[in-house]
Amino acid sequence: MLFWIISALLTVVVAVILLSPLMRASARASLYDEGEAAVYRDQLRELERDKATGLISADDADYARAEIGRRLLAVAGRATTGEAATERAFEAAAAGPVARRRYGLSQAFILLCLPVIGLAGYLEIGSPGTPDAPLAARIENPGDDVGLLVAKVERHLASNPEDGNGWNVLAPVYFRIGRLPDAEIAYRNAIRILGPDAERMNGLGETLVLRSDGIVTDDAQMAFQAALKLEPNNPRADFYLALALEQSGRRAEALAAFQAIATASPPTAPWMSLVNQHIAANSAGVPLANAPAASVQPTAPATLGNPSADDIANAQSMSEGDRSEMIRGMVASLDARLKEDPNNFEGWMRLVRSYAMLKDKERAQAALKDGLKAFPADGAEGQQLIAMATELGLDVEEVSQ
């Protein structure tokens, strides 16, 4: 019942708002018409006085009387001539102020049609029989609604800020829904109250990495190092610490760290695909884009081919020529994949740089040319390709022609 009362009140408010301009327009028009009609009535009275005093002849008085009558009728929105006009003008003069102009159809539509249309639309697509669902009741029974689940825990923590378990539950949820500043606060509170453990320290480290756009900062490294102390066999922390070495330019150390992860992990581990990418890239001296925390998943895309753990272990005993040949094969594999699927900007960046690092300028030029076909030079991606090629000493003008 409350819903219908509120709906009726809102309908009245809307109707008043819509009718107000029409009512104001009608009032303004009426005031103007009444003023004009009053002038004509004064002229008629003055005409009668002039006729009575002999200042104007009877014929001239009748002519003037008819003219003033026609003007009065024009004010009222009527048009006629002759004696009928004169008689009607006198009737208008005797009647007093002219009637207000009205917008009957518009007013009827607003008062009748709009409420009917609104009601019919609500009955068709609305749910008038749905019971009330106050926020408090929905928070108590959130079901599968993640937003309500978060709100429920937040309400609990507002009155119990030292509940470490609540912060521990909320932190990874914040992380998954992208509320990274809140996730960092929640992890720090959980660590402060419950103490550090490997899962919480890894979560804090990954949050810091994502907040820094994929860069493994000093604070993040400290978190991962603490996680390793608490749980030595921890590939998640090992990965980010190896990534930190790669980002700092210490590629030999990064390669050894990634190879250690591959050696200690089962071949079917879900993180092996991503680890192999970094092994291949560091072997070729090719910088990979900063890997965000969420990319440590089995669905992460491959870049330079995925050698097996045995291949990586055996690579150390290869001759320089064999190792170089293996790297060239990985780069060629990336080249082939890009020809099949050219809409991979990062892939073209890596391919051009890889060929340049391998001192294969001809293939680097060809890769740059193909990359610019997929990402033209007048776009942001094309400009990045050209800037990188310039740094690598490639002939950009020849490719751009």
Side-chain angles (χ1 to χ4, degrees), residues 144-167:
D144 296 330
D145 191 323
V146 175
L148 291 178
L149 286 168
V150 170
K152 183 176 182 178
V153 179
E154 287 176 335
R155 172 177 286 192
H156 168 75
L157 289 172
S159 55
N160 300 276
E162 295 302 309
D163 182 359
N165 288 324
W167 291 113

Side-chain angles (χ1 to χ4, degrees), residues 178-390:
R179 293 174 58 177
L180 299 179
D182 292 331
E184 180 181 349
I185 293 172
Y187 273 121
R188 291 191 184 280
N189 282 335
I191 293 168
R192 174 178 58 83
I193 298 169
L194 300 178
D197 71 358
E199 187 66 25
R200 285 190 280 274
M201 298 310 297
N202 277 334
L204 175 61
E206 285 184 325
T207 302
L208 294 172
V209 171
L210 276 188
R211 290 201 66 184
S212 302
D213 297 325
I215 301 299
V216 185
T217 62
D218 291 341
D219 285 345
Q221 290 184 57
M222 291 174 61
F224 292 124
Q225 287 165 356
L228 273 178
K229 290 180 181 178
L230 294 165
E231 185 181 297
N233 185 19
N234 191 333
R236 189 173 167 193
D238 285 332
F239 173 84
Y240 283 103
L241 292 174
L243 183 61
L245 294 171
E246 178 183 297
Q247 291 174 349
S248 64
R250 297 155 64 183
R251 295 197 168 275
E253 296 175 63
L255 176 60
F258 283 119
Q259 289 172 339
I261 297 173
T263 302
S265 302
T268 57
W271 55 83
M272 280 302 300
S273 174
L274 188 59
V275 169
N276 287 334
Q277 291 178 41
H278 286 273
I279 291 172
N282 283 285
S283 298
V286 181
L288 280 172
N290 296 331
S295 70
V296 189
Q297 302 292 338
T299 56
T303 56
L304 297 179
N306 297 321
S308 67
D310 291 339
D311 291 337
I312 299 301
N314 293 334
Q316 298 303 311
S317 60
M318 287 182 179
S319 65
E320 187 63 30
D322 290 341
R323 187 181 297 111
S324 176
E325 188 63 29
M326 182 187 75
I327 292 171
R328 287 181 178 275
M330 294 176 185
V331 176
S333 177
L334 174 61
D335 195 344
R337 283 198 299 274
L338 287 173
K339 284 183 169 58
E340 295 176 1
D341 180 18
N343 296 320
N344 182 350
F345 173 68
E346 291 296 333
W348 287 114
M349 292 282 285
R350 286 192 292 271
L351 184 62
V352 173
R353 185 178 290 275
S354 297
Y355 278 133
M357 296 293 289
L358 292 171
K359 310 298 183 183
D360 193 338
K361 185 175 180 180
E362 182 179 348
R363 284 194 172 91
Q365 294 277 134
L368 177 61
K369 186 174 183 179
D370 291 339
L372 289 174
K373 289 179 181 178
F375 299 93
D378 56 357
E381 293 89 350
Q383 290 295 319
Q384 291 184 51
L385 276 168
I386 290 175
M388 181 190 67
T390 302

